[in-house]
Amino acid sequence: MDLAQSPRQSLGRARALTRRTVLATAVAVTASGACAGQPSSAARRIDGIVWQLSRQTLRPRGGWERLGVRRLLVQWSAVDGQSFVEGAGLPLIGPDLPDWYRIASEPWARDVILGLSGLHDEAWSRASLKELAAQSRALALAAAPLPLRVSGWYFPAEVDPTWAGPELLAEALRELPRPLWISAYDSANLGPGALADWIERWLPRDVGVFFQDGVGVHARTPEVARDYLVHLTRRLGPSRVRVIAEAFRPAPNGGFRSATADEFLPQIDAYQAWPIYAFDGPHYLGDERVRELVARGVGPG
């Protein structure tokens, strides 16, 4: 997920946008029971938020725990060869770094999946897997002293079926720490079954997938995105599938804006059978939007 430059990315896909582009501009479930109808408002909850780390978002603050959030997905801890963590052998992003100790104490960061090394440019990222994997191994070691409760790692090289050489990614993933996650989207609109078949062919069996729903860029509806989740769950198993719900929409004059509560709630309702991570908290889920969602029944389960 340029999980930025941008908000990412999911974006585009169907239209050649990527979450990276976006920021630049600005559980168990059974296959048969995963989608049977909308939950009541009392059941609405968001499990996690994504933080697309940048110089502008070094101090993420929000009341996301009011939505049920207890998990944090950090898109990356180094990007474009600059690190947000000391001791990784890379130049630091600048004199100011994230306040990791305060973040670790937040109720919405009880469980952290820490992103490793990425690049804003998606094509260059896919061509630099060996280098990024080596940087990622160093980052995982450098992050050990941080107070974060790290439950897993995220490799921010987003995948979709237009990638001609996914086997190279599979090779890079084998060198990274576990538990490990990647994200995937369907820019080619192959469909739920074809995407799941493609991923299952090459993805190591101990790596999980965050599916980028594509709703924020109008690539598909929440109902269609849910079908993707059903097929991925059938192929990979429920423990390996989570969903990134895009909490943004295209803005009239370019770039992206926060989704309204009315726009975002259908996604929340459609994905209740899976762990939901909103993309992304610091940019699109401000205090006003949190209050609106709470008033509509979103909260801790």
Side-chain angles (χ1 to χ4, degrees):
M1 339 168 174
D2 196 8
L3 272 197
Q5 254 170 340
S6 22
R8 280 151 289 108
Q9 294 202 304
S10 28
L11 315 169
R13 300 149 231 1
R15 305 200 180 158
L17 286 176
T18 65
R19 269 197 169 62
R20 293 188 171 82
T21 302
V22 180
L23 252 205
T25 61
V27 189
V29 56
T30 62
S32 61
C35 311
Q38 283 191 347
S40 68
S41 61
R44 287 170 167 162
R45 59 91 193 60
I46 298 173
D47 303 272
I49 58 164
V50 180
W51 172 23
Q52 188 170 59
L53 187 49
S54 68
R55 286 189 178 92
Q56 291 71 43
T57 59
L58 292 174
R59 305 286 189 269
R61 294 184 182 274
W64 303 302
E65 71 279 1
R66 299 178 61 200
L67 303 173
V69 172
R70 296 293 183 271
R71 302 172 177 178
L72 174 65
L73 171 58
V74 182
Q75 178 163 344
W76 42 44
S77 48
V79 64
D80 296 343
Q82 296 182 303
S83 179
F84 296 92
V85 176
E86 293 181 311
L90 293 170
L92 294 177
I93 196 77
D96 295 324
L97 295 175
D99 49 347
W100 295 114
Y101 281 85
R102 192 269 305 170
I103 292 166
S105 71
E106 293 285 0
W108 40 263
R110 299 301 187 199
D111 176 284
V112 177
I113 294 178
L114 187 60
L116 296 167
S117 185
L119 295 169
H120 280 114
D121 185 277
E122 189 169 82
W124 188 240
S125 174
R126 294 179 178 185
S128 306
L129 294 175
K130 289 186 177 180
E131 180 181 2
L132 292 174
Q135 293 175 2
S136 292
R137 292 194 299 273
L139 279 164
L141 293 174
L146 297 178
L148 303 173
R149 290 174 284 270
V150 175
S151 66
W153 309 91
Y154 171 75
F155 190 56
E158 302 175 5
V159 305
D160 79 302
T162 66
W163 195 338
E167 296 81 8
L168 297 176
L169 175 60
E171 182 178 339
L173 294 176
R174 292 188 182 96
E175 303 177 14
L176 299 178
R178 266 47 173 183
L180 183 63
W181 297 82
I182 61 168
S183 66
Y185 59 92
D186 185 11
S187 65
N189 283 321
L190 295 183
L195 179 70
D197 289 344
W198 178 77
I199 290 175
E200 186 183 27
R201 276 200 300 273
W202 59 267
L203 186 68
R205 294 184 180 275
D206 58 351
V207 176
V209 173
F210 282 90
F211 176 67
Q212 300 175 25
D213 70 351
V215 176
V217 291
H218 304 309
R220 59 189 55 89
T221 66
E223 292 73 25
V224 172
R226 185 175 56 192
D227 287 342
Y228 278 83
L229 293 168
V230 170
H231 281 79
L232 285 169
T233 300
R234 286 173 177 164
R235 297 290 195 284
L236 307 180
S239 66
R240 295 174 64 195
V241 179
R242 299 181 183 181
V243 60
I244 293 174
E246 297 171 346
F248 56 83
R249 296 294 187 273
N253 297 320
F256 295 87
R257 60 167 176 83
S258 296
T260 66
D262 283 340
E263 289 171 329
F264 196 41
L265 283 169
Q267 293 164 262
I268 297 173
D269 286 342
Y271 312 148
Q272 286 296 297
W274 293 268
I276 302 169
Y277 286 66
F279 186 90
D280 85 323
H283 292 90
Y284 300 114
L285 285 176
D287 290 342
E288 180 180 359
R289 189 65 74 248
V290 168
R291 287 193 295 271
E292 292 172 353
L293 291 170
V294 169
R296 300 289 292 276
V298 181

